[in-house]
Amino acid sequence: MTFWRDQRGNMSILFAAALSLAGVVGAISVDSAALFRESRMVQAAVDLAAITATADPDNAESLVRTVLRDAGFVEDPVVEVGHYGADPAKSPEMRFVRGRGPVNAVRVSYRQTGTLYFGANLMNPPEIAATGTAMVVPEVSFSIGSRLASFNGGLANAVLGTLLGTTVNFSLADYTALADARVETIGFLDGLAGSLGITAGTYDALLTHEVRAGTLVGALAKGVSGPARLALETLSRASAGSPVPLKKLLTLGRYGRMSVNGGGKGLGAQISALEILSAAAALADGQRQVWLGLGGSIPGVAALSLDLAVGEPAGGGGWFGIGPAGTVVRTAQVRLRIDAQIAGNLTLQNALIRLPLWLDLASSEAKVVSATCPNRAEPNGTAEIAVLPGVAILAVGKPSNAEMRDFGTPLPLAPVRILDATLLQVSASGHLSIAQTSPVPLAFSSADIGVARLKMAKVTTPVTSLAQGLVSGLNFDISILGLGLSLPSVINTALKTVVAPLGPPLDAILNSVLTTLGLGIGEADVRVYGVRCATPVLVG
């Protein structure tokens, strides 16, 4: 009884018990911390292995093993190659599909037995498992509006010269040399930055500037050689030229955040010098209006004049872009006003017929739908582009200068007086429209991308002669003011006979003017220059 009542040394007993408990807690804490650290190291190694393997899926297995063994992990991993779709409607674990193409992701799974320093005699070591999934986002460099097949030298010079605010005297040989000369996109921008005295900042900051056409052409000349360089240098010295908004010319995506002169060359975008020049002309000075007098150049036509107004691409977007699926590039909007004067025949009292027409061509757009990364079988990758050719309307009418420049308002459709003689008055009406409501898919193979092959998206309704179709289908409202004239049916036939020959040459003129700007009626031209998969990212 005395022993139980004795309280001496009780603190020693409590201390010993607490010390034993602290030792147990300490051992558990050390083992837990060690297991947590080991788990983090395994996960980090697995993530690194997945990222490394994604850059080269063909050798994923060997790359993963190398990375893990270099990190000190010797167990065999499970390596799966497949497709990862970032679909928010699916749970994260369902977004990766093993073996499915196009291959853009690698999933690595790894297991090993954890290490216990104090508890090994009391319990079995737990298993440490880690899974890492990495994917690459293919980025496509592409352009819309690159029609370089043929040029009417004089007409092209007039259009380019007026839009650029200078004098252009290129020969057909000059145009051919410019079409063949290739310019590296980032190198061109670095040269442009040097011309502007910009030595720091990002490409996105550079693209916020407007530069004079002369400065842009001078920078373009530095990236080419031979006859193309000589032609561009001559043009750059001719005049300062009109301002060109660079952000409407190029869209660089995430590459825009790179530093100017930071060694970002080699994005796989060797663009024709003529493509850049034509696109810059279409974008120069906002909504510049061009008048071209072509009188006497068309047999049977007394006089012909053409007014051209060019607006910015609808909804923004550059003519050239680099980016993942969803990236959009657009052409410029164009309006043409045509005034043709034709001598009437005896049935029409030899009166002068004035036929005014207008063409409204909306922006065409191209959008990256999907792409696959370069691999052993397809060294340049592949891409699918959805193209929507711009809506085109050709109609009888004479819009004002203000209406021509107001691209937000449709041009008027109304009958127009085309003949006003003493005893005879004739009004004409008519219009043709071309529209593509659903995008046209264009598939670019690795071989297509390797040579920057041009592909054309056309509206589903074939369009071969828009002007000829309109002219042949004109409606005439005939007013006979006196006796002795032919019947309205005879006058109607005479009108069609006189006006019909105007169709084919008008089509040729429209195509020549639009070709200079890289555009087409009911068509859109697209090139893909390269697919990059340089930056894998972890997705799980």
Side-chain angles (χ1 to χ4, degrees):
M1 295 295 294
T2 303
F3 174 78
W4 294 107
R5 292 174 183 166
D6 192 351
Q7 297 182 3
R8 289 175 298 176
N10 60 344
M11 293 303 297
S12 299
I13 296 173
L14 292 174
F15 179 78
L19 184 61
S20 300
L21 181 60
V24 173
V25 172
I28 294 174
S29 298
V30 169
D31 278 347
S32 297
L35 288 172
F36 179 75
R37 178 177 178 275
E38 191 173 0
S39 177
R40 290 288 300 272
M41 292 177 64
V42 171
Q43 185 65 61
V46 167
D47 289 344
L48 178 60
I51 289 174
T52 303
T54 304
D56 186 7
D58 291 339
N59 299 307
E61 186 85 25
S62 61
L63 289 172
V64 168
R65 292 179 181 275
T66 299
V67 171
L68 292 177
R69 286 175 181 170
D70 287 347
F73 301 107
V74 296
E75 301 295 335
D76 290 332
V78 176
V79 181
E80 300 168 291
V81 177
H83 180 80
Y84 184 91
D87 186 354
K90 295 181 180 179
S91 60
E93 60 272 11
M94 297 298 294
R95 296 174 187 173
F96 176 83
V97 181
R98 177 181 180 180
R100 179 180 173 182
V103 171
N104 69 342
V106 173
R107 181 165 65 187
V108 179
S109 301
Y110 183 82
R111 296 176 179 273
Q112 74 171 27
T113 302
T115 303
L116 293 178
Y117 295 95
F118 295 100
N121 295 325
L122 302 176
M123 59 181 293
N124 292 325
E127 186 179 60
I128 295 175
T131 300
T133 305
M135 69 171 292
V136 288
V137 179
E139 295 177 304
V140 181
S141 55
F142 67 121
S143 70
I144 184 171
S146 49
R147 181 165 301 214
L148 306 175
S150 62
F151 272 87
N152 178 329
L155 192 57
N157 284 340
V159 173
L160 285 179
T162 307
L163 290 174
L164 292 171
T166 185
T167 301
V168 177
N169 290 310
F170 289 160
S171 66
L172 186 58
D174 291 330
Y175 280 112
T176 302
L178 290 171
D180 293 337
R182 298 289 160 178
V183 179
E184 210 284 325
T185 311
I186 294 297
F188 162 64
L189 288 177
D190 286 340
L192 191 58
S195 299
L196 297 173
I198 297 173
T199 58
T202 64
Y203 290 110
D204 278 342
L206 174 63
L207 293 178
T208 62
H209 290 76
E210 286 191 349
V211 300
R212 292 285 173 179
T215 303
L216 185 145
V217 173
L220 195 58
K222 296 176 183 178
V224 298
S225 59
R229 181 164 190 162
L230 179 61
L232 290 173
E233 286 178 340
T234 302
L235 178 58
S236 69
R237 291 192 296 266
S239 172
S242 303
V244 179
L246 294 179
K247 65 180 180 181
K248 298 295 183 182
L249 189 66
L250 300 164
T251 301
L252 297 181
R254 69 181 183 87
Y255 295 101
R257 298 191 291 271
M258 295 191 306
S259 297
V260 172
N261 295 308
K265 296 182 181 181
L267 294 185
Q270 297 284 331
I271 311 174
S272 163
L274 186 54
E275 291 181 59
I276 299 178
L277 185 63
S278 295
L283 298 170
D285 204 22
Q287 297 175 359
R288 176 178 290 273
Q289 198 162 324
V290 179
W291 182 87
L292 300 172
L294 305 174
S297 61
I298 300 176
V301 178
L304 181 68
S305 64
L306 184 147
D307 291 293
L308 166 66
V310 183
E312 294 185 348
W319 149 87
F320 168 86
I322 301 175
T327 302
V328 176
V329 293
R330 294 182 176 91
T331 63
Q333 304 173 81
V334 171
R335 282 180 171 174
L336 289 170
R337 184 174 59 194
I338 304 163
D339 186 19
Q341 299 181 29
I342 312 166
N345 54 25
L346 184 61
T347 303
L348 303 175
Q349 294 188 299
N350 293 318
L352 190 66
I353 299 172
R354 299 194 62 171
L355 181 61
L357 304 173
W358 55 260
L359 171 71
D360 195 357
L361 181 61
S363 294
S364 297
E365 74 171 40
K367 180 179 181 179
V368 178
V369 176
S370 63
T372 62
C373 295
N375 54 53
R376 191 173 301 167
E378 297 171 325
N380 300 304
T382 65
E384 182 179 347
I385 311 293
V387 186
L388 197 60
V391 175
I393 302 175
L394 180 65
V396 176
K398 193 173 184 179
S400 65
N401 287 342
E403 288 172 326
M404 285 283 287
R405 288 190 290 266
D406 184 6
F407 286 89
T409 303
L411 294 178
L413 288 171
V416 176
R417 183 70 55 83
I418 66 169
L419 188 152
D420 198 351
T422 305
L423 301 177
L424 178 63
Q425 293 180 348
V426 179
S427 296
S429 62
H431 78 279
L432 286 178
S433 61
I434 302 167
Q436 180 70 26
T437 56
S438 58
V440 178
L442 294 180
F444 290 83
S445 67
S446 179
D448 294 333
I449 297 172
V451 295
R453 180 170 288 117
L454 182 148
K455 291 199 173 186
M456 181 186 298
K458 297 185 178 182
V459 295
T460 51
T461 302
V463 181
T464 55
S465 53
L466 188 63
Q468 187 172 354
L470 173 65
V471 169
S472 63
L474 287 175
N475 298 312
F476 298 111
D477 182 9
I478 301 169
S479 176
I480 301 175
L481 305 179
L483 300 176
L485 291 178
S486 303
L487 295 174
S489 59
V490 176
I491 295 175
N492 187 78
T493 301
L495 285 167
K496 289 185 176 293
T497 301
V498 171
V499 172
L502 185 62
L506 276 183
D507 279 318
I509 290 171
L510 293 178
N511 288 332
S512 294
V513 171
L514 295 175
T515 293
T516 303
L517 301 175
L519 308 175
I521 298 174
E523 302 168 344
D525 298 330
V526 178
R527 296 178 194 267
V528 174
Y529 304 98
V531 179
R532 289 175 58 85
C533 297
T535 310
V537 294
L538 289 172
V539 291

